[in-house]
Amino acid sequence: MKVIILDNAEQVAGYGAKIFKQQLADNPQSVLGLATGSSPLILYRILIELYERGKVSFREVTTFNLDEYLGLSGDHPQSYRYFMNRNLFDHIDIDLANTFVPDGTTADPRAAAREYESKIAEAGGIDVQLLGIGYNGHIGFNEPSSSLGSRTRVKTLTARTIADNARFFGKDEYQPHLSITMGIGTILDAKNVVLLATGESKAAAVRNTIEGPISANCPASALQLHPATTIIVDQAAAAALDDPEFFKHIERENQKLQ
Ligand code: GLP
């Protein structure tokens, strides 16, 4: 696990964006795993700017999103498909046919989940998977108690996640309690993982992810088993780590080597 501690959210997104830029330079046909929530928003803005300046192209890229609310169609403003179109896909040269988000309105979610796994495999697997993290350590919608070997499937959201995400829904608007999400096993299969977390509200989840026991109580702690995960956090999200200075020291040494 590589842990990068930076001063603020802009720097966190900038560091993450560099990893994606390098990936696209190395392989223009990359398969990217994408995430929603507020954490990736600045990174998407930077990718759009890089595209506008001709520094990256998404023409041959395929994307798979982590999750979707069950019951919301892609044109619902709170659906993750809508989020991705509005915050990234509409502004870059990607072929929408090569962007995959689980189908929230499928009549057969189990079959749709199996099909999603097959599509990822057919694409050759995910090169870089972007993640945010929930306050309870969830990744995608893999809530605490999720099997660490789980694959794409239907998951029930915790009351905490529903409450955390309620801010995006209108007062009387229907808010789904179910989702289709990549499993933790699916995420661990990605060749590289990049997790972004900022703000003090994420500090406990970040500590449990990096220093806690590997446990279904903190689904992101499964990333300790992943060979190429980069966790990028700001000072506030790093505040509960035992020894943040050690990670900063490692990064300084790495910079010298480069
Ligand atoms: C949702 C998403 C997660 C995301 C989490 C944190 O529950 N399913 O993928 O990581 O929210 O969101 P935010 O980045 O807004 O804190």
Side-chain angles (χ1 to χ4, degrees):
M1 231 178 213
K2 191 171 172 186
V3 179
I4 306 293
I5 303 172
L6 300 168
D7 285 339
N8 53 52
E10 192 75 32
Q11 288 179 6
V12 166
Y15 196 105
K18 260 193 207 153
I19 296 175
F20 279 86
K21 182 171 176 244
Q22 188 61 49
Q23 174 65 36
L24 294 173
D26 292 345
N27 179 9
Q29 298 180 340
S30 291
V31 179
L32 305 181
L34 299 179
T36 54
S38 44
S39 303
L41 277 176
I42 306 177
L43 185 149
Y44 291 156
R45 196 200 71 212
I46 296 172
L47 290 181
I48 293 166
E49 283 165 12
L50 287 170
Y51 161 70
E52 286 170 347
R53 285 164 41 213
K55 305 282 183 200
V56 293
S57 169
F58 297 82
R59 214 173 320 118
E60 299 173 89
V61 165
T62 301
T63 65
F64 288 92
N65 261 78
L66 284 166
D67 47 11
E68 179 59 283
Y69 286 113
L70 210 53
L72 297 192
S73 64
D75 55 6
H76 189 290
Q78 300 313 330
S79 75
Y80 286 170
R81 159 56 75 183
Y82 188 94
F83 175 103
M84 289 310 302
N85 287 355
R86 211 182 47 176
N87 291 301
L88 182 64
F89 300 150
D90 287 349
H91 310 284
I92 57 176
D93 61 345
I94 200 159
D95 180 349
L96 268 189
N98 296 332
T99 66
F100 297 93
V101 180
D103 179 1
T105 54
T106 175
D108 187 345
R110 283 191 185 161
R114 280 194 301 274
E115 211 179 293
Y116 204 66
E117 287 281 331
S118 307
K119 277 196 196 124
I120 295 173
E122 273 163 35
I126 291 169
D127 292 308
V128 186
Q129 175 66 57
L130 181 63
L131 297 176
I133 186 168
Y135 303 135
N136 60 9
H138 76 231
I139 44 177
F141 269 134
N142 294 284
E143 297 283 28
S145 84
S146 291
S147 156
L148 302 187
S150 51
R151 313 302 306 187
T152 303
R153 69 211 182 293
V154 174
K155 275 303 286 179
T156 304
L157 308 185
T158 61
R160 173 94 193 257
T161 298
I162 293 165
D164 286 346
N165 289 340
R167 65 189 194 276
F168 299 114
F169 290 83
K171 198 169 148 282
D172 299 316
E173 199 175 5
Y174 167 68
Q175 187 184 352
H177 291 189
L178 294 175
S179 66
I180 300 190
T181 180
M182 277 188 203
I184 298 174
T186 321
I187 293 168
L188 292 177
D189 280 351
K191 293 171 193 94
N192 300 279
V193 173
V194 174
L195 186 150
L196 310 182
T198 55
E200 63 180 333
S201 62
K202 300 289 173 75
V206 166
R207 182 198 57 225
N208 293 337
T209 299
I210 297 169
E211 294 173 347
I214 296 174
S215 160
N217 267 336
C218 175
S221 64
L223 295 170
Q224 292 176 29
L225 294 169
H226 189 272
T229 286
T230 306
I231 299 192
I232 315 167
V233 296
D234 66 358
Q235 307 282 359
L241 292 173
D242 267 352
D243 191 2
E245 287 310 313
F246 178 56
F247 295 115
K248 291 181 192 168
H249 168 70
I250 296 173
E251 178 59 5
R252 277 195 301 271
E253 293 296 305
N254 283 339
Q255 295 291 346
K256 274 190 223 157
L257 285 175
Q258 280 164 22

